[in-house]
Amino acid sequence: MNGVQLRSLTPSVLGILVRRGADFAAAEDAVQDALVEAVRVWPADPPRDAKGWLVTVAWRKFLDATRADAARRRREDRVEEEPAPGPAPPVDDTLQLYFLCAHPSLTPSSAVALTLRAVGGLTTRQIAQAYLVPEATMAQRISRAKRTVSGVRFDQPGDVATVLRVLYLVFNEGYSGDVDLAAEAIRLTRQLAAAIDHPEVAGLLALMLLHHDRRAARTAPDGSLVPLAEQDRGLWDTESIAEGVEILQAALARDRLGEFQAQAAIAALHADARSAAETDWVQIVEWYDELARLTDSPVVRLNRAVAVGEADGPRAGLAALAALDDSLPRHAAVAAYLHERDGDLATAARLYTEAARKAPNLAERDHLTRQAARLNARGVADG
């Protein structure tokens, strides 16, 4: 069993320990210790039941840590007997664990950060990038969240909005980052949609499907990024598009608009266009206006500037961009694109180079570097 497969067992094992009475922070430490032990032991002596082995070892490590901590001795009376070795119950605890991590004692932002780190498997750096904050700031936030829930009994699940935010960020990291979590986020959101009749749950599921349907076209055979306008739309998953649109239409019909429904509507307009030239950018700008009203997010306004540039011309897009903080992630890339469309190739090349230095992942950095090189080559040729 490789590292990715081993990590895939973590949420279920963690959920079992929490249900047996372990507080979340101690359970997380125990599971991590069990994973380390598995890496050491399994190559020479692989278990017949990997999950059962992890549950048993993690529970023993939790008990050892509990007994060693005098401040936690009162909880020893409440813990259940150590489970016997053998197959663990085939229960998927992941979605339940998402709700438990969204504990009422935490602020929504802290609950999201803690869940992404402990259950989603994202690194502190990836979470910091998603929140547009320094890595050190996010590390402190996660540490405070762990301290807050340490010793808290997880019998009060958090709200749907916080869980949706976690699932959205997990999907985004899986869709565009270094770790493939997109399919897992879709699976969990399907479970949530089946359990809860909520238009924003449906909106999030539609959004995920309408982005995931383009996945096969997003990268070239050499792994390089393919921009939306250049993608082979014949590679898009039409069944996923149809399902996403159907789910979105049913959610919008309930007239309880939320940010995920608005984002899904934008994705549906892209999916509906038979070519990049046929994209209804005017309607996309209108949906970005709705989304900005709902979220007041600078990232939404950044994406809106691109749409304005397509609908009303690059100078209108640059005017919209001028109102935003140039330290925003991908601000330089958007500015480069709009300047190129406006014919200012020298400025665009410089901005593509700047954007490449700030890129959050290797694929995006390489793409932006190639864009700068292309424009620089054109400048030399024209000169």
Side-chain angles (χ1 to χ4, degrees), residues 83-261:
V91 177
D92 183 352
D93 302 295
T94 309
L95 188 57
Q96 179 189 16
L97 203 56
Y98 272 60
F99 272 94
L100 292 175
C101 288
H103 197 273
S105 65
L106 295 172
T107 64
S109 61
S110 294
V112 169
L114 178 62
T115 313
L116 290 172
R117 181 71 186 93
V119 187
L122 274 63
T123 66
T124 302
R125 178 174 178 270
Q126 290 169 322
I127 302 169
Q129 288 175 345
Y131 269 89
L132 311 181
V133 299
E135 184 176 351
T137 301
M138 183 52 64
Q140 292 174 353
R141 184 179 300 178
I142 293 172
S143 294
R144 285 196 300 270
K146 286 183 177 181
R147 287 196 299 270
T148 299
V149 300
S150 180
V152 171
R153 198 163 178 82
F154 281 73
D155 53 3
Q156 300 179 63
D159 66 354
V160 174
T162 300
V163 173
L164 288 179
R165 177 62 50 188
V166 175
L167 289 169
Y168 173 68
L169 291 173
V170 168
F171 177 82
N172 273 353
E173 189 59 43
Y175 186 70
S176 61
D178 302 323
V179 181
D180 187 354
L181 298 167
E184 173 69 357
I186 291 174
R187 183 184 72 83
L188 293 172
T189 306
R190 283 191 187 279
Q191 286 187 6
L192 188 58
I196 300 176
D197 183 19
H198 192 298
E200 273 293 82
V201 176
L204 178 58
L205 179 57
L207 173 63
M208 290 178 174
L209 292 172
L210 288 165
H211 275 297
H212 206 59
D213 65 63
R214 303 200 298 262
R215 187 157 195 182
R218 289 186 71 248
T219 55
D222 63 359
S224 60
L225 289 180
V226 180
L228 175 60
E230 300 171 19
Q231 288 176 13
D232 178 358
R233 299 185 179 218
L235 296 176
W236 290 4
D237 185 341
T238 54
E239 289 186 8
S240 182
I241 291 173
E243 182 186 6
V245 169
E246 182 180 359
I247 292 170
L248 173 63
Q249 289 174 339
L252 292 175
R254 301 178 65 174
D255 198 25
R256 290 169 54 193
L257 184 64
E259 64 173 295
F260 295 123
Q261 294 169 72

Side-chain angles (χ1 to χ4, degrees), residues 273-342:
R274 289 177 296 180
S275 68
E278 296 179 67
T279 305
D280 188 347
W281 287 106
V282 172
Q283 194 172 168
I284 287 176
V285 171
E286 292 173 356
W287 275 110
Y288 270 122
D289 288 338
E290 287 287 345
L291 189 55
R293 180 183 61 80
L294 289 166
T295 66
D296 195 29
S297 164
V299 174
V300 168
R301 296 187 185 280
L302 184 69
N303 292 330
R304 179 185 177 277
V306 177
V308 169
E310 299 290 351
D312 301 326
R315 294 194 179 182
L318 287 168
L321 188 65
L324 302 176
D325 187 344
D326 62 9
S327 67
L328 276 172
R330 298 187 173 90
H331 184 284
V334 170
Y337 174 74
L338 292 171
H339 276 290
E340 180 183 357
R341 293 245 357 257
D342 195 38

Side-chain angles (χ1 to χ4, degrees), residues 326-370:
D326 62 9
S327 67
L328 276 172
R330 298 187 173 90
H331 184 284
V334 170
Y337 174 74
L338 292 171
H339 276 290
E340 180 183 357
R341 293 245 357 257
D342 195 38
D344 187 352
L345 303 190
T347 299
R350 175 178 58 79
L351 287 168
Y352 276 130
T353 300
E354 177 185 335
R357 289 197 300 267
K358 300 176 180 178
N361 56 65
L362 182 60
E364 190 169 334
R365 186 189 71 190
D366 289 347
H367 171 71
L368 293 167
T369 300
R370 283 193 296 271

